[in-house]
Amino acid sequence: MSKTLFDKVWDAHVVDSVPNGPQILYIDKHLIHEVTSPQAFAELEQRGIPLYRPQQVVATADHNVPTLNQHLPIKDALSRKQVDLLSKNCENHGVTLYGLGHPYQGIVHVMAPELGITQPGMTMVCGDSHTSTHGAFGSIAFGIGTSQVAMVFASQCLLLNKPKKMRIKVDGDLNQGVTPKDVILYIIAQLGTNSGTGYFVEYAGSVFEQMSMEGRMTVCNMSIEMGARGGMIAPDQTTFDYVQGREFAPKGEEWEKKLAYWKSLPTEEGAEFDQEYSFDAADIEPMITYGTNPGMGIPLSGTIPDSGDQNFEKALNYMGFNPGQSLVDHPIDYVFIGSCTNSRIEDFRQAAAVVKGRQKSPAITAWIVPGSQQVAKQIKEEGLQDIFEAAGFAIRQSGCSACLGMNEDKIPSGAYCVSTSNRNFEGRQGQGARTLLASPLLAAQTAIEGKLTVINSLEPAL
Amino acid sequence: MKKLNKIESSAVPLPIENVDTDQIIPARFLKATDREGFGENLFRDWRFKADGTPLPDFVLNQETYSGEILLAGTNFGCGSSREHAAWALADYGFRVIVSSYFADIFRGNALNNGILPIQVEEEILQKLLAATSNNPQTSFRVNLEEQVLEAPELGIKVDFAIDDYKKMCLLNGYDDIDFLLSKKDEIQAFEKSRSH
């Protein structure tokens, strides 16, 4: 029988099956960070269980870290304690840590791919729902809870019921100014925030085939925002070219062996999915969200829909918007370009192309937060930092930052923020903050104009 | 893990849809390094003003509503994988959550913390929410062994699904770590057998 990419990777990792119950799935790589790991380490210690395969665990500090003065001790006592505990736990259990100050430190879903830790055909987990990002390489990657972090520590395995399979195809050519972020916001707006629950999604079609790895990561990253456990894209030459030569990528004979395996992974003709959707690329326009979940998105040229539903009203009330309203010309207070969704070099190249030679609006506070130390270095080397600074943007150091406001980078109550992150939930970026999700292109343009404006009013250099 | 089999209790109605884990426990409370005490910040920003005074309209601040069962709108627990959300609900005292849909990661986290997520048809959920809103004393019986949720005064008795393995874990208070450690030989054999 023809197999899907998902089946091939999943089936290759099944250790055993419990009758009428879950399967034991072997995990190749386990990424950890300071927020969801301390209780898991404590659990091991309380039960006197050793960490089974420390060489398959990689740690970094990202959620809680300041994005200013990272060379100084962390000011916030609780954050400092959590980050220090990560260092101590990694040392005690033999786990490699790329902590603050290390050139490899960064948002876990940015640094792992750029180091070649993420590879096709792998199973990967992390105590973070955006682990779905790594599916861009044709791996099965998904977020887990802290109890599961402890299970993987103890056994390098998880007990799971195999999810159902969904394929989402987007074919055709994207319109000017439409980025991978717009593609995934469009898909979520079309299908809804719980459409993917119980599924693993494969993205297919010419749009994803032509997309860069950075773009594919943006798309797979937001799979969880439609409820899917993860998203995947078949590995191809774009994938292989990205992985080859990176620090932890296979080398020499090992590379040839892996490559042959990776090439066998794509979904076969005739393989069946439990659910399939198809979209036409030409229908996708630059997107913006207007509500308090990522499914509440519209083309910026459109208007906010109407719905008699009380949940819908609650969301609009929080955002200070009305049904039927256009968001064009709506004033904005903050622009945040960062997060595991959009803080890779390509995102900043796109934003810089819009910003170059212009000044940000005085009404806007604009933050550029690179996803990793390596991206920060690249921004500098490519001259993008000069462009942003000349325009009045603040360049910060790498971390999750204002995506979830665990550190000092919070949006004030009532303020509007056009954000390249992944969640517009109530209070996500700070208590009372109002988040509008968008692409780096639209975010950059908003910073210049001080308000939302349709994308073709400036010429994007894509 | 705490065992769970039979629960008899009134319920707390939360008829809001797509409740994400950021609402259940906001990120600023995730700096703790243990599992205790999250209940006091459960639904923090719906429950309290920024200065800490309770918001009287929120259901957890209304004394008439209480119980070990939470009735919640569809797609409960979406968003972040933070297990702190399950810890907060358990710490507050909820043992059962009834909704018409649960987000995957949350469902797993709940089961790993002795909380039973019961999925019912939307129509049933709406009936239960309406009945409890009108009469906070409406009583419910949950029997995990028999996989039955019952609201005797409403004449409602529904079966719910749970996989045999997870049911056994909840009934006995077992967690997956014990089970996985018992499979160490198979796991090592798997590691040796891999060609790629």
Side-chain angles (χ1 to χ4, degrees):
Chain A
M1 207 175 86
S2 305
K3 287 180 100 179
T4 65
L5 164 65
F6 174 73
D7 287 327
K8 290 180 195 181
V9 181
W10 181 279
D11 295 350
H13 290 85
V14 175
V15 174
D16 202 357
S17 297
V18 181
N20 289 325
Q23 291 182 307
I24 302 174
L25 192 77
Y26 191 81
I27 304 302
D28 293 320
K29 278 281 181 288
H30 185 190
L31 309 173
I32 63 167
H33 61 84
E34 75 279 19
V35 175
T36 57
S37 66
Q39 294 88 349
F41 279 114
E43 174 115 32
L44 283 193
E45 285 162 11
Q46 278 156 19
R47 294 164 83 145
I49 304 167
L51 204 160
Y52 178 51
R53 292 285 182 238
Q55 71 279 16
Q56 285 168 245
V57 187
V58 176
T60 192
D62 56 2
H63 279 63
N64 217 339
V65 301
T67 56
L68 284 172
N69 296 318
Q70 287 183 347
H71 62 289
L72 298 176
I74 300 173
K75 277 190 207 154
D76 181 286
L78 288 175
S79 298
R80 188 172 65 243
K81 189 180 162 205
Q82 215 173 41
V83 172
D84 288 349
L85 187 56
L86 179 69
S87 305
K88 192 174 136 245
N89 281 332
C90 288
E91 199 180 311
N92 290 346
H93 293 271
V95 172
T96 302
L97 166 68
Y98 301 121
L100 269 190
H102 193 284
Y104 292 168
Q105 180 271 339
I107 303 176
V108 65
H109 311 311
V110 177
M111 52 77 76
E114 77 187 1
L115 290 172
I117 293 168
T118 305
Q119 294 165 23
M122 278 184 167
T123 49
M124 298 179 75
V125 294
C126 175
D128 187 286
S129 60
H130 293 110
T131 308
S132 58
T133 308
H134 307 268
F137 292 79
S139 61
I140 288 183
F142 53 92
I144 57 176
T146 298
S147 293
Q148 292 174 310
V149 172
M151 291 168 205
V152 182
F153 279 167
S155 68
Q156 205 57 37
C157 287
L158 283 172
L159 280 160
L160 296 163
N161 293 302
K162 190 175 179 180
K164 290 184 283 186
K165 292 164 284 179
M166 179 188 289
R167 180 160 59 187
I168 299 175
K169 288 177 98 170
V170 186
D171 282 297
D173 294 319
L174 291 174
N175 295 309
Q176 195 191 16
V178 174
T179 70
K181 182 64 165 288
D182 301 300
V183 174
I184 189 63
L185 284 174
Y186 174 84
I187 292 171
I188 301 167
Q190 292 291 312
L191 300 181
T193 47
N194 63 5
S195 55
T197 305
Y199 289 93
F200 233 87
V201 176
E202 180 177 343
Y203 301 95
S206 61
V207 163
F208 304 111
E209 286 161 17
Q210 287 157 25
M211 210 175 255
S212 68
M213 286 315 294
E214 285 88 349
R216 293 178 188 183
M217 284 189 255
T218 299
V219 169
C220 289
N221 172 278
M222 289 191 73
S223 303
I224 183 72
E225 309 312 335
M226 58 180 145
R229 202 63 189 270
M232 307 174 84
I233 293 174
D236 60 9
Q237 199 55 47
T238 306
T239 321
F240 310 143
D241 290 345
Y242 182 97
V243 175
Q244 192 166 25
R246 288 182 188 265
E247 176 88 29
F248 298 106
K251 308 264 166 11
E253 212 175 296
E254 181 68 8
W255 170 263
E256 295 304 327
K257 202 176 135 203
K258 292 269 187 194
L259 188 64
Y261 172 58
W262 297 346
K263 285 181 174 173
S264 76
L265 290 174
T267 295
E268 291 157 21
E269 193 73 33
E272 284 181 20
F273 289 83
D274 301 288
Q275 182 78 53
E276 291 210 60
Y277 297 100
S278 287
F279 298 104
D280 184 349
D283 293 339
I284 308 175
E285 293 180 41
M287 298 287 292
I288 188 85
T289 64
Y290 60 87
T292 55
N293 72 55
M296 299 176 84
I298 48 172
L300 182 56
S301 64
T303 54
I304 295 173
D306 201 353
S307 152
D309 181 72
Q310 60 177 21
N311 290 290
F312 187 86
E313 272 173 35
K314 181 178 183 290
L316 254 51
N317 192 30
Y318 180 86
M319 293 299 293
F321 294 148
N322 296 306
Q325 185 182 341
S326 160
L327 292 177
V328 174
D329 291 337
H330 197 283
I332 298 298
D333 309 293
Y334 281 76
V335 165
F336 169 59
I337 306 183
S339 88
C340 59
T341 312
N342 284 122
S343 64
R344 300 181 180 84
I345 189 63
E346 187 184 89
D347 301 314
F348 295 113
R349 285 183 192 138
Q350 284 181 11
V354 173
V355 170
K356 193 172 184 179
R358 296 185 167 99
Q359 281 297 308
K360 80 163 179 70
S361 157
I364 296 271
T365 302
W367 292 334
I368 296 280
V369 185
S372 69
Q373 303 289 350
Q374 296 213 65
V375 172
K377 191 165 162 261
Q378 232 173 329
I379 286 176
K380 213 170 189 171
E381 285 168 0
E382 292 187 16
L384 309 182
Q385 181 161 338
D386 295 339
I387 294 172
F388 289 124
E389 282 177 346
F393 285 63
I395 309 261
R396 298 297 188 89
Q397 291 169 294
S398 77
C400 298
S401 181
C403 173
L404 83 168
M406 266 196 87
N407 68 355
E408 300 75 20
D409 306 345
K410 291 179 174 63
I411 309 302
S413 187
Y416 287 99
C417 178
V418 169
S419 176
T420 66
S421 55
N422 38 59
R423 289 187 173 136
N424 49 355
F425 297 153
E426 284 184 35
R428 171 81 178 180
Q429 297 193 286
Q431 280 176 276
R434 292 156 160 174
T435 303
L436 296 88
L437 302 176
S439 72
L441 205 59
L442 183 53
Q445 177 166 292
T446 305
I448 303 297
E449 302 280 347
K451 58 186 182 181
L452 286 163
T453 48
V454 284
I455 212 94
N456 54 14
S457 66
L458 285 177
E459 277 182 25
L462 274 182
Chain B
M1 198 171 74
K2 221 166 151 184
K3 290 182 191 180
L4 186 149
N5 184 14
K6 290 178 184 170
I7 303 267
E8 284 200 47
S9 169
S10 53
V12 176
L14 186 71
I16 301 171
E17 295 178 356
N18 302 313
V19 173
D20 59 77
T21 53
D22 273 80
Q23 307 315 314
I24 300 173
I25 185 86
R28 62 186 186 279
F29 300 112
L30 307 188
K31 295 181 185 182
T33 52
D34 57 29
R35 294 174 182 234
E36 314 304 321
F38 288 99
E40 62 188 78
N41 293 313
L42 175 67
F43 295 116
R44 176 75 197 198
D45 294 340
W46 287 350
R47 203 168 136 205
F48 300 104
K49 291 183 195 164
D51 66 6
T53 44
L55 288 156
D57 286 347
F58 188 65
V59 70
L60 294 189
N61 294 325
Q62 296 174 0
E63 281 177 16
T64 49
Y65 295 105
S66 65
E68 295 177 278
I69 300 172
L70 180 68
L71 304 174
T74 195
N75 197 27
F76 186 78
C78 59
S80 158
S81 60
R82 60 188 70 165
E83 193 163 318
H84 312 67
W87 299 336
L89 288 158
D91 188 45
Y92 187 85
F94 289 117
R95 300 298 315 276
V96 174
I97 302 170
V98 180
S99 182
S100 57
Y101 220 73
F102 290 94
D104 284 334
I105 303 179
F106 176 79
R107 182 199 296 269
N109 288 342
L111 287 167
N112 286 333
N113 286 280
I115 297 175
L116 173 64
I118 297 182
Q119 188 167 324
V120 297
E121 298 289 326
E122 182 66 31
E123 192 193 342
I124 298 282
L125 177 68
Q126 291 306 326
K127 276 187 192 162
L128 302 180
L129 281 167
T132 301
S133 301
N134 291 333
N135 175 14
Q137 266 68 55
T138 306
S139 63
F140 294 84
R141 286 187 207 144
V142 173
N143 186 322
L144 174 59
E145 182 70 54
E146 293 175 9
Q147 298 180 217
V148 169
L149 167 70
E150 201 178 352
E153 295 131 14
L154 310 177
I156 290 176
K157 190 174 177 183
V158 288
D159 297 337
F160 60 84
I162 180 169
D163 87 48
D164 292 352
Y165 169 77
K166 271 298 169 195
K167 179 174 164 179
M168 182 273 292
C169 287
L170 274 182
L171 287 171
N172 296 295
Y174 298 160
D175 68 22
D176 290 358
I177 290 184
D178 301 317
F179 183 84
L180 288 167
L181 289 176
S182 75
K183 293 283 177 182
K184 253 322 169 27
D185 291 346
E186 284 92 332
I187 293 168
Q188 282 175 356
F190 175 85
E191 287 175 323
K192 285 201 187 100
S193 73
R194 302 184 76 194
S195 56
H196 39 70

